[in-house]
Amino acid sequence: MFDTATALALLQYGDSAYPAGGFAFSWGIEGLAADGLLENARDLDDFVWEHLTLRWNSMDRVLLDRAYRAGDIAAIAAIDRDAEAATPSAPMREGSRRAGRALLGVSVRLGGALSVAYRTCLADAPHLGHLPVVQAVVYRDAGLAPQAAELVSGWTLVHGLVSAAVRLGVIGHVEAQRALQSARAVLAELLAEPMLPDALPSSFTPLIDIAVSRGKARPIRMFTT
Amino acid sequence: MTGVQKTKGARIAAARVGIGGPVGSGKTALVERLIPALLGRGIDLAVITNDLVTAEDAERIRRSGLIDPARVSAVEAGACPHTVIREDPTLNIEAADELERRFPGVELILLESGGDNLASTFSRDLTDFWMFVIDVAGGDDIPRKRGPGVIRCDLLVINKTDLAPHVGVDLARMHEQALAVRSNRPVLLTNCRKGEGIDAVVGMIERDVLFRA
Ligand SMILES: Nc1nc2c(ncn2[C@@H]2O[C@H](COP(=O)(O)OP(=O)(O)OP(=O)(O)O)[C@@H](O)[C@H]2O)c(=O)[nH]1
Ligand SMILES: [Mg+2]
């Protein structure tokens, strides 16, 4: 499916060490654990499944795909506005923008042309810069094809969720590898189904949304989301 | 030091100064002393904190009345205080860029790391200059342990000098050993409780970071 050069690029961009601030986001894992809803490896598998299937695949992936195919900066910004409008939870929106802007910042410093143009556009648009939209911009600059961009997007989410669970003490490092393995199977199945060109972004992950939304109210918090 | 950076529009970017060091060594206390001293010299200032699990330090500085609370940003470290200042300082860089956008005249951004251990160092892409704060009460053998933080920082600050007699530390010897392991690169002594030694730190920032005469 991917040639060696692309596979190597995937390893670089999909690496948890890629410096885009991913380690500071738990996307609900911290809140779910704090509320006793996430206690072991099996719970984690369930939430990773939920994240991938009911949010990433129907929302992030759709936005990423549309942004990837967008003709110009204005069209990308329009999709970014859709991302903003389609995310009811304010802390989730803020997290998505912070993660997106961090990723964009790295690409700008590496000289990505589209990234530089998009960052200029974001200077006067504080509500834009959502992660999936920025992923399209950055991975286009990186020369990744849409399928490769989708793969990195899904994988970095999985990695973020699982490593947050390790740092919260929910699972150990060996269990983490098992969690990644099951998540790979879920992701592979989703990616095998191509995106419909007219798909609209949607998600239904109420527990995760509530966990992220309550984040700011928690006195003890290690993660941005 | 990576020197002065340029950003879009050819505006000179603010100098970024990191403050790292073990838990409780007095990083926030130093920031609280530096703020009025730097503002008093007419330096346009902002602060970023990397709290471990709460926004405690950010809130403490915001409530201190020493600086406009809007000029204090908090960055969560996801339980990785090392990573957020070294391997992946992107969130701190974004926070600093954002402060520069909101306060175009800002000349200096102080960045307090979360309390960490002697191995923590700052990425050269994040800071132009960084100091490492250890304290007397942590033991006079700290410099001898040659942690990368102690050795590689641009300025080593030995804080809580007032506690030396209470913890049986020979301050002169600790200072001497710190200079020795650092090949005589700068080491300054402070007592943040009383504000002693702060002028020397400010002087160094003015001279070596802001290039003021
Ligand atoms: N006696 C004495 N106490 C000090 C001095 N500086 C700081 N302290 C005290 O040391 C304690 C820790 O100080 P902080 O400034 O919070 O230390 P910190 O390095 O910011 O701590 P973390 O951010 O939690 O790593 C506080 O109780 C301070 O009042 C000093 O020079 N002398
Ligand atoms: Mg502190």
Side-chain angles (χ1 to χ4, degrees):
Chain A
M1 186 178 174
F2 297 115
D3 60 21
T4 306
T6 307
L8 287 170
L10 290 173
L11 289 173
Q12 181 179 357
Y13 291 101
D15 189 342
S16 67
Y18 190 81
F23 65 93
F25 298 84
S26 91
W27 303 113
I29 295 296
E30 181 174 36
L32 291 164
D35 287 343
L37 295 168
L38 169 55
E39 293 184 323
N40 52 40
R42 193 195 305 183
D43 296 345
L44 180 65
D45 283 348
D46 289 348
F47 279 116
V48 171
W49 180 89
E50 189 170 323
H51 243 299
L52 281 175
T53 309
L54 302 179
R55 179 172 192 92
W56 179 81
N57 193 52
S58 58
M59 175 99 176
D60 294 33
R61 190 179 171 201
V62 173
L63 292 164
L64 187 155
D65 249 60
R66 287 172 56 185
Y68 195 101
R69 286 185 281 107
D72 55 21
I73 294 290
I76 297 172
I79 295 157
D80 216 341
R81 279 194 291 278
D82 286 350
E84 173 82 6
T87 313
S89 154
M92 189 71 111
R93 286 200 299 277
E94 196 194 320
S96 169
R97 285 191 302 253
R98 280 184 75 181
R101 284 170 181 257
L103 178 62
L104 189 62
V106 182
S107 185
V108 166
R109 281 176 168 80
L110 290 169
L114 192 59
S115 302
V116 171
Y118 199 54
R119 166 94 153 207
T120 307
C121 158
L122 292 190
D124 310 312
H127 55 296
L128 302 188
H130 287 280
L131 182 60
V133 176
V134 167
Q135 284 173 331
V137 170
V138 169
Y139 299 148
R140 250 169 86 172
D141 270 336
L144 297 181
Q147 294 89 338
E150 286 181 355
L151 195 144
V152 174
S153 167
W155 182 245
T156 49
L157 170 64
V158 165
H159 225 293
L161 299 174
V162 172
S163 70
V166 172
R167 273 174 280 144
L168 288 161
V170 174
I171 54 167
H173 71 291
V174 176
E175 286 174 304
Q177 291 307 309
R178 285 201 197 96
L180 290 175
Q181 207 171 333
S182 350
R184 266 200 281 140
V186 178
L187 189 55
E189 204 179 307
L190 294 172
L191 288 169
E193 223 27 72
M195 259 321 35
L196 298 174
D198 54 355
L200 292 173
S202 67
S203 73
F204 186 69
T205 53
L207 282 180
I208 290 167
D209 295 0
I210 292 168
V212 171
S213 299
R214 292 185 58 209
K216 289 255 188 284
R218 285 178 212 286
I220 305 282
R221 191 158 64 96
M222 299 194 298
F223 293 86
T224 300
T225 53
Chain B
M1 277 199 284
T2 51
V4 185
Q5 306 165 3
K6 292 251 173 171
T7 50
K8 186 173 70 73
R11 188 161 49 74
I12 304 279
R16 298 172 184 189
V17 169
I19 302 176
V23 179
S25 62
K27 297 178 291 298
T28 308
L30 179 62
V31 169
E32 286 167 335
R33 288 293 178 181
L34 287 176
I35 291 170
L38 291 163
L39 291 177
R41 299 193 194 197
I43 295 163
D44 198 322
L45 191 65
V47 178
I48 297 172
T49 66
N50 290 178
D51 282 312
L52 282 188
V53 291
T54 58
E56 181 108 4
D57 282 355
E59 283 308 317
R60 180 169 140 195
I61 296 168
R62 283 182 188 130
R63 287 202 208 100
S64 68
L66 297 170
I67 187 169
D68 172 5
R71 286 175 175 260
V72 181
S73 292
V75 170
E76 291 89 349
C80 298
H82 264 50
T83 310
V84 80
I85 62 166
R86 189 174 56 204
E87 282 79 5
D88 185 355
T90 309
L91 293 172
N92 276 317
I93 291 174
E94 286 302 309
D97 287 357
E98 174 62 22
L99 283 166
E100 283 179 20
R101 269 194 291 273
R102 281 196 282 133
F103 303 101
V106 67
E107 294 171 275
L108 178 66
I109 298 176
L110 298 178
L111 203 155
E112 182 189 341
S113 159
D116 206 334
N117 59 39
L118 300 179
S120 76
T121 55
F122 282 83
S123 164
R124 290 288 168 196
D125 288 331
L126 174 61
T127 55
D128 301 294
F129 180 100
W130 61 281
M131 49 185 115
F132 198 75
V133 182
I134 59 174
D135 69 290
V136 166
D140 57 2
D141 56 343
I142 295 281
R144 285 202 301 277
K145 292 180 178 168
R146 293 171 198 267
V150 171
I151 305 289
R152 302 207 4 235
C153 60
D154 297 300
L155 165 64
L156 180 69
V157 174
I158 301 178
N159 186 37
K160 307 194 191 179
T161 51
D162 55 311
L163 295 183
H166 308 290
V167 293
V169 163
D170 180 340
L171 203 53
R173 222 182 82 212
M174 188 173 177
H175 189 188
E176 219 168 82
Q177 287 184 341
L179 283 166
V181 298
R182 286 174 51 74
S183 314
N184 283 321
R185 287 164 57 250
V187 179
L188 292 173
L189 305 182
T190 57
N191 169 357
C192 288
R193 170 92 15 116
K194 288 262 167 63
E196 291 163 10
I198 302 300
D199 278 350
V201 179
V202 172
M204 191 158 173
I205 292 174
E206 280 200 288
R207 199 177 53 245
D208 292 358
V209 181
L210 300 172
F211 305 117
R212 293 183 172 193

